[in-house]
Amino acid sequence: MTTVTATVIPEAERGEVTQLKVIHSEWIKLRSLRSTLFTLLAAVVAMIGLGYLFSYFTADRWSHLPPGERLHFDPTLTSLRGFFLAQLAVGVLGVLVVSGEYATGMIRASLSAVPRRLPVLWAKALVYGVVAWVLMTAAALIAFLVGQAALSGRHLGTSLGDPGVLRAVFGAGLYLTGVGLIGVGLGALIRNTAGGIATLFGVLLVVPVLVEALPSSWYDAIDKYLPSTAGQGLVHVHADPNTLAPWTGFAVFCLYAVIALAGAAVALRRRDA
């Protein structure tokens, strides 16, 4: 029987730990997880499939729609409706990117290899952010195209060249990327999958419903600054007068992502793995 002796390779021989190497390591981890493929696939299917279904059924029922619905009809938003469900998948995976390592104990190995810690968080955020942006932007573009094809039978469609349309399509990808980064921040801050997901859903879905119960003057003052309202303004071709301007709202939404990641960075520096 052959005995294998483990040897410790000196740090000098292993080479310096750089941010680029940490990013490469996080990319290998992300693409090797089966949950990554299935969750992102679910987000893409939701984005494209629901976009087509909403567009198809809207065109089919057009003659029966009330005049008010016809007046406020937005063909671009109709084809991008799938982003509402896609954000759940993207956000959940963002939480899992970090909390999954805490659940398995793998985070100890990651932080042992990168003692300064913060490069691990930045690498996770960068890698997942880029992957989410590329896939969700492509899904939004495909959803728009198939949706407009379904609407064209009733001559209800629009084109990328129309005012605000290109911004809305690419804005959907940016919004979903922001949701994913908030998920990464919450996953690193809370370090628990259930807690991170519950917090994310609470911020995106529950808080807006609670705010609706407030007096109208309070609602108008608060709702526009909520992350979901501020970020989703980018997806609307025609901005609601009671909300922030599309890019202003997106800047506010990005601030939420920065706060989540900054809080995670502080916690990562102060707490044990």
Side-chain angles (χ1 to χ4, degrees):
M1 182 175 62
T2 304
T3 302
V4 179
T5 304
T7 58
V8 178
I9 301 175
E11 185 177 349
E13 295 181 23
R14 284 185 279 139
E16 182 185 358
V17 177
T18 64
Q19 184 68 69
L20 191 60
K21 290 180 179 179
V22 179
I23 291 172
H24 180 65
S25 173
E26 292 301 327
W27 163 242
I28 293 175
K29 284 193 282 187
L30 182 65
R31 64 187 175 91
S32 63
L33 292 174
R34 212 179 318 178
S35 59
T36 300
L37 173 63
F38 291 141
T39 308
L40 290 178
L41 181 61
V44 170
V45 169
M47 192 74 189
I48 299 173
L50 290 179
Y52 176 78
L53 289 177
F54 275 112
S55 301
Y56 174 82
F57 287 117
T58 299
D60 188 59
R61 297 173 51 248
W62 182 255
S63 59
H64 303 289
L65 292 179
E69 289 190 33
R70 294 192 194 187
L71 181 63
H72 296 96
F73 172 68
D74 183 347
T76 304
L77 182 59
T78 300
S79 61
L80 297 175
R81 283 286 184 189
F83 83 86
F84 190 80
L85 186 58
Q87 71 176 336
L88 304 184
V90 173
V92 166
L93 185 56
V95 173
L96 284 170
V97 163
V98 185
S99 66
E101 288 200 29
Y102 279 98
T104 61
M106 186 177 177
I107 191 67
R108 294 186 181 89
S110 297
L111 297 182
S112 296
V114 189
R116 286 185 297 164
R117 297 190 172 195
L118 290 188
V120 175
L121 177 62
W122 307 142
K124 287 181 181 295
L126 178 63
V127 170
Y128 185 58
V130 170
V131 170
W133 178 77
V134 171
L135 287 179
M136 293 302 100
T137 300
L141 181 59
I142 296 171
F144 172 80
L145 295 176
V146 298
Q148 299 314 305
L151 292 169
S152 63
R154 289 277 185 172
H155 305 288
L156 301 173
T158 185
S159 69
L160 289 172
D162 290 339
V165 173
L166 191 63
R167 182 255 301 159
V169 173
F170 282 90
L174 289 173
Y175 170 73
L176 292 171
T177 302
V179 170
L181 292 177
I182 292 175
V184 172
L186 291 176
L189 183 61
I190 299 174
R191 303 184 174 191
N192 177 272
T193 300
I197 293 173
T199 303
L200 179 67
F201 286 5
V203 169
L204 294 179
L205 306 178
V206 178
V207 172
V209 175
L210 296 178
V211 171
E212 288 182 4
L214 297 175
S216 59
S217 59
W218 291 19
Y219 173 80
D220 292 338
I222 296 174
D223 181 67
K224 67 177 71 175
Y225 295 105
L226 296 180
S228 55
T229 305
Q232 291 174 18
L234 206 60
V235 188
H236 294 257
V237 173
H238 306 290
D240 188 327
N242 295 321
T243 61
L244 300 172
W247 289 111
T248 303
F250 183 67
V252 172
F253 180 65
C254 289
L255 184 59
Y256 281 99
V258 170
I259 292 173
L261 290 170
V266 172
L268 192 61
R269 289 290 297 271
R270 293 184 175 180
R271 296 191 298 203
D272 294 332

